[in-house]
């Protein structure tokens, strides 16, 4: 065994792939349930897709189900997505299906990568590129460890034809854009309005109705949509995360044509 060969294999294969994904069709910030679902459906269409995830693990807020009871609930409309991903569901009451949270995250991650999307974990999106035609044209990245250690290290940039904000409750990419371009998002205030208190029915319905472009070149999915437009949170029902991930993929694919 040659330790240096092992080191070279890791460094070179990672670097080659990281470079290959510095110019893509779609860059997704956040590998939670909505980002992974979006990545899966985009990659399945042959669209070059990369996901950057700040944390060591993918899956966002799904691992812990509701209050650490690691089960999730989805409604009728979302069940076919779990079927397609190979996740077993059990009907609890008519229209309410339960799935194992760990199995669901694992399946979403596996299917997303198998479909052709690339996930880079431990990478934080800290800024966006906005170009002359006044549209989001890529992301600015740094190692999450740089931020955690509060190091003064400059980031790197990557180019993408569309960006999807799947960063969850904080809608981080949309907030960055609103701050940098001066409140011109496609919302009632031009800013990120901020999510409202928990109301599952409205949260799910509003989210699914509003998936779309928040700013030219920038779309949102999952909980970020509710934060951007000021809709309620919905807790451990995850159907909207999956449905919005699929919707944002379909919409982005149309915009890419
Ligand atoms: O929070 P998260 O799971 O968002 P989601 O896909 O799903 C929301 C549900 O989990 C739950 C809910 C459902 O009813 O309310 O909260 O909309 O996943 C977001 C992911 O984005 C990562 C974060 O670590 C998480 O894994 N993330 C957040 N900001 C950044 C980021 C960033 N700036 N750069 C990279 N990753």
């Amino acid at each position: 065994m040659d330790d240096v060969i092992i080191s070279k294999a890791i460094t070179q294969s990672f670097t080659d792939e990281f470079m290959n994904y510095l110019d893509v069709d779609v860059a997704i910030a956040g590998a939670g349930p909505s980002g992974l679902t979006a990545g899966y459906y985009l990659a399945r269409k042959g669209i070059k897709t990369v996901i950057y995830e700040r944390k060591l693990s993918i899956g966002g807020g799904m691992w812990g189900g509701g209050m650490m009871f690691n089960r999730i609930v989805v409604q009728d409309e979302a069940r076919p997505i779990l079927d397609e991903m190979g996740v077993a569901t059990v009907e609890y009451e008519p229209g309410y299906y339960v799935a194992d949270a760990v199995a669901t995250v694992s399946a979403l991650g596996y299917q997303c990568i198998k479909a052709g999307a690339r996930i880079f974990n431990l990478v934080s999106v800290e800024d966006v590129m906005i170009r002359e035609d006044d549209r989001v044209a890529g992301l600015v990245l740094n190692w999450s460890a740089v931020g955690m250690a509060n190091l003064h290290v400059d980031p790197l940039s990557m180019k993408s034809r569309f960006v999807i904000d799947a960063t969850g409750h904080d809608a981080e990419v949309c907030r960055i854009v609103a701050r940098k371009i001066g409140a011109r998002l496609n919302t009632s205030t031009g800013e990120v309005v901020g999510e409202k208190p928990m109301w599952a029915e409205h949260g799910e319905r509003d989210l699914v109705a509003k998936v779309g472009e928040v700013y030219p070149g920038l779309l949102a999915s999952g909980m970020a949509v509710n934060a951007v437009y000021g809709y309620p949170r919905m807790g451990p029902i995850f159907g909207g995360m999956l449905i919005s991930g699929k919707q944002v993929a379909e919409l982005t694919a149309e915009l890419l044509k």
Side-chain angles (χ1 to χ4, degrees):
M1 284 282 177
D2 186 327
D3 295 294
V4 173
I5 293 177
I6 297 168
S7 302
K8 283 183 175 174
I10 289 172
T11 316
Q12 181 144 25
S13 65
F14 180 90
T15 310
D16 286 351
E17 202 150 42
F18 193 78
M19 282 179 66
N20 182 29
Y21 281 86
L22 289 178
D23 188 349
V24 300
D25 296 318
V26 184
I28 301 174
S34 71
L36 292 172
T37 308
Y40 167 80
Y41 283 106
L42 284 161
R44 279 255 326 233
K45 293 176 191 289
I47 293 168
K48 189 173 180 183
T49 304
V50 65
I51 306 181
Y52 298 105
E53 167 54 49
R54 165 184 288 161
K55 295 200 172 146
L56 179 58
S57 62
I58 60 165
M62 197 180 239
W63 293 107
M67 210 176 130
M68 298 205 293
F69 297 103
N70 66 355
R71 298 290 181 276
I72 60 157
V73 172
V74 300
Q75 59 276 54
D76 275 321
E77 299 80 2
R79 197 177 151 216
I81 298 177
L82 290 184
D83 288 346
E84 188 173 341
M85 301 287 179
V87 178
T89 50
V90 175
E91 190 172 38
Y92 183 71
E93 282 205 15
Y96 295 81
Y97 298 88
V98 181
D100 181 305
V102 175
T104 309
V105 172
S106 307
L108 290 178
Y110 173 69
Q111 296 293 358
C112 180
I113 293 166
K114 194 167 156 227
R118 189 67 184 93
I119 303 173
F120 293 101
N121 59 341
L122 298 164
V123 175
S124 289
V125 174
E126 65 165 56
D127 200 354
V128 293
M129 295 210 288
I130 294 181
R131 286 297 174 259
E132 295 76 21
D133 52 356
D134 204 17
R135 57 180 282 119
V136 174
L139 294 174
V140 177
L141 310 170
N142 216 329
W143 297 115
S144 302
V146 166
M148 290 164 76
N150 205 15
L151 300 176
H152 189 171
V153 177
D154 272 325
L156 293 173
S157 314
M158 58 84 57
K159 189 173 154 191
S160 64
R161 292 174 67 195
F162 286 93
V163 165
I164 297 173
D165 184 346
T167 61
H169 294 260
D170 292 330
E172 289 196 21
V173 183
C174 294
R175 274 185 207 280
I176 291 167
V177 173
R179 198 174 68 237
K180 300 230 164 170
I181 55 138
R184 285 192 290 124
L185 299 186
N186 174 25
T187 66
S188 56
T189 60
E191 304 268 10
V192 170
V193 180
E195 73 180 35
K196 296 290 179 289
M198 188 135 121
W199 191 349
E201 190 181 342
H202 281 269
E204 292 277 300
R205 190 196 60 202
D206 296 347
L207 155 64
V208 167
K210 196 65 185 182
V211 170
E213 244 180 333
V214 178
Y215 188 76
L218 174 66
L219 298 94
S221 75
M223 205 48 224
V225 174
N226 296 48
V228 166
Y229 292 101
Y231 298 152
R233 65 183 305 195
M234 67 289 276
I237 182 145
F238 280 82
M241 302 304 123
L242 308 174
I243 296 167
S244 66
K246 185 174 183 186
Q247 271 183 324
V248 84
E250 284 165 359
L251 185 58
T252 309
E254 280 304 308
L255 294 170
L256 278 164
K257 281 183 184 163

